[in-house]
Amino acid sequence: MDRSEDMKYANIIVNISHENLDKTFQYRVPDDLKASISIGDYVSIPFGKSDKVINGYVLELTDRAEYDPAKLKEIISIDTDSRLVEHKLIRLAYWMKQTYGSTMITALKTVLPIKKIVKEKEEKSIVLAIPESEALLQLEQFVKKHRTARERLLRELINEKELDHRLVTTKLNVSTATVNALEKQGILTVEKKRVYRNTAGTEKQKSPVTLNNEQKRISDSIIDDYRKGIRKTYLIHGITGSGKTEVYMEIIDAVVSEGKQVIVLIPEIALTYQTVMRFLRRFGDKVSTIHSRLSSGEKYDQFERARKGDVSIMIGPRSALFTPFENVGLIIIDEEHESSYKSDNMPRYHAVETAEELAGLHGASVILGSATPSLDSYHRAKNGDYELFTLKERIGDAKLPAVHCVDMRQELKNGNRSMFSDRLKELIEDRLDKNEQIMLFINRRGYSGCVSCRACGHVIKCPHCDVSLSKHINGKLICHYCGYEKESSPVCPKCGSSTIKEMRAGTEQVEDAVKKMFPYAVTLRMDADTTKKKDSYEKILAAFANREADILIGTQMIVKGHDFPYVTLMGIMVADMSLNAGDYRAAERTFQLLTQAAGRAGRADIPGDVVIQTYQPEHYAIEAAVGQDYEKFYDEEIAYRSLMDYPPVGHMLAVLTEGGTREEVDRYSGALADKLKDAIINGPYAPGISIIGPADASISKLNDIYRKIMYIKSKDTDKLGKVKEFIEDYCDANNDRGIRVTLDRDPVRGY
Ligand code: ADP
Ligand code: ZN
Ligand code: ZN
């Protein structure tokens, strides 16, 4: 952080509960405050013509006066109360700006909830209106008549007696029409929600499970640390179903009972009704949730409840980190390896690092949990920065599935040209006979993958976005970024050969092949195309959970966080697809996907099978996934990262330059690189810094914008921070309207 003693001026914002955050006022810092003032401080200042004394927050400290210094007024006093939520959030924003690169205003807009005037929404609940015995009879009727939505709703009502209306219509995926129909039948009533009870709705609460020895060892150890005042980061490495969530809840209980608040991050995709209900059952009205489907007004309301102390546990995706809690004791990040924890807007913050920074400001601990920890977190655990716990067994009798690896090259040699290996075909037939369910996973959407020529290698791309076009079932070639369409041609436009064909299978193609091979099977498909409409994602999942289909075919979306007890076969069509993605995390992502996919089969008492089809069975990511061996994968992967100085061993700063013409972008990024090279050779950073590029980004043109990418690598984060500042200063000084430069520290996706 800049040394505040050197800073003569402070930029102050006077109203932060406002959309217009950009308005700051500059004040002089009096000598006696120079040593103590810091970003986020709440200060008294004379304001306006009358010099009325008002309060504001310090956003920036600088030695650059924006006006004639003689005319600037002086800060009167610092009134910071360290408990003040805004103080911490502004400091956090400052840290994010410094760490990831963005303006202070952008960082501030990320962390401060924006108040919009919204109509008060009435909270409603659904209450069971008939005795349980009668409800059970009714339930039987619904089951018989296959009224699945009614059945689902009634089943939950019998369990819970009262349900949150919003949760029912969003997460349980029951339409308002269904709710109204049951109300007409007199089965339930819709009521205005009662005033929040601070007693956490004791009648609703179920007694928690008794933790097993492994679970108890972890929760005891962390709670013990907590009571002793030890604050740190823990990593719980435990396979899916090993009871991590129960451990979290036990620790949350202890932290909340000390009057502290807890933030629980869950990837959006895993934020299901079932997950939320588990927390609600245990903690009742102390829990609030946010998710991306909430309007900004609804989100603001949930944040206000947190600010007022009405709730003490917030569950949500990465932005739940910015819940305005006064006194956070614990931050939990479940499935911490998920790439959705990295923001794709500036500042491109990572929720794990940001949670650790926030925990530092609050004096809180952090718990990370995953079945396949990110290399970064596991590396830190191995270095002793995190304390590592392992949960090895699944709860109950649920066994891990048998994993079979099939070499597709061999299948081809044997004359099998279909996309199903003999093994997978046999197992699908077997499960269809037994009336059990199947999931087929393909890492690609559309009818097929990119179209390429086997004779000359030419790949057909979008003229606007420079990504390969995908062939759809209607025969057209479609761009998945901008939607550009063209007719497919029977011959290669470059060499004229007729060997041009789609290289890889997509979900539609798999669905077609399934229908041909197993005409009696009922299929569902889930990919970006079928889930465009609001709620369609939940609808497909609900239909599959209700056993309305035998086979669910889908992309990544199907392998994450859902429990389908009747799925006993998971087929991974081509495991290599994500391996060839062309960035340094490809192997890690593949290992995670395969391990998660394997975790989807055989969760109940029926043992499951997983078939991994691949052209590279000897690749370590695939071998380790087949053996369900995290340690083996980690050892191989960390050796590769060390060799190449890739994160987490080294650090990388991605510098993306974008602009309207190729020449402009080339010129700007070239000049920036030259200046940077000069500074590195002659300046204070060398040695230990290297520049890669600038080169065309892997998507070198997106929506008619040209993109060049440059990577700066170093093991030293301080040096990388200096480079970041150098680039920011350069871009400030060489402001070019047609050019945008975006910074991303330790990127998790390719550009
Ligand atoms: P994870 O979060 O690791 O996937 P969960 O905490 O969801 O695991 O546990 C998996 C299932 O086992 C859940 O249904 C949970 O309620 C149950 N469970 C967890 N721990 C216990 C326990 N000690 N006794 C009985 N059931 C448990
Ligand atoms: Zn060709
Ligand atoms: Zn395009």
Side-chain angles (χ1 to χ4, degrees), residues 274-390:
Q274 280 80 3
T275 314
V276 174
M277 278 316 293
R278 283 176 75 184
F279 281 88
L280 282 173
R281 256 175 224 141
R282 175 119 178 207
F283 300 107
D285 292 339
K286 284 184 192 156
V287 178
S288 175
T289 58
I290 57 164
H291 53 85
S292 63
R293 302 246 170 98
L294 292 184
S295 68
S296 62
E298 286 170 316
K299 189 171 161 189
Y300 187 80
D301 289 347
Q302 297 311 312
F303 274 5
E304 276 309 288
R305 293 177 65 200
R307 186 195 298 277
K308 284 189 213 134
D310 289 348
V311 297
S312 41
I313 301 165
M314 180 62 81
I315 305 175
R318 62 170 191 260
S319 65
L321 270 184
F322 311 122
T323 307
F325 278 137
E326 203 164 86
N327 207 341
V328 176
L330 176 66
I331 303 169
I332 292 172
I333 305 185
D334 193 33
E335 316 269 3
E336 63 84 30
H337 62 275
E338 278 290 322
S339 64
S340 65
Y341 284 129
K342 173 107 182 180
S343 170
D344 24 43
N345 300 313
M346 293 262 268
R348 294 178 183 245
Y349 69 93
H350 197 292
V352 171
E353 291 171 320
T354 310
E356 293 192 274
E357 184 64 22
L358 183 66
L361 293 168
H362 278 275
S365 279
V366 177
I367 300 176
L368 310 174
S370 175
T372 50
S374 65
L375 245 317
D376 311 58
S377 294
Y378 209 71
H379 186 62
R380 282 182 205 139
K382 289 244 165 174
N383 284 347
D385 297 339
Y386 296 168
E387 185 169 346
L388 178 66
F389 291 105
T390 312

Side-chain angles (χ1 to χ4, degrees), residues 17 81 140 219 232 240 296 332 362 367 416 442 466 687:
S17 63
D81 179 340
E140 259 176 48
S219 71
K232 58 181 175 187
T240 317
S296 62
I332 292 172
H362 278 275
I367 300 176
N416 178 6
I442 182 106
D466 201 30

Side-chain angles (χ1 to χ4, degrees), residues 453 456 492 495:
C453 174
C456 76
C492 172
C495 75

Side-chain angles (χ1 to χ4, degrees), residues 462 464-465 467 479 481-484:
C462 169
H464 308 293
C465 304
V467 293
C479 168
Y481 280 107
C482 73
Y484 170 85

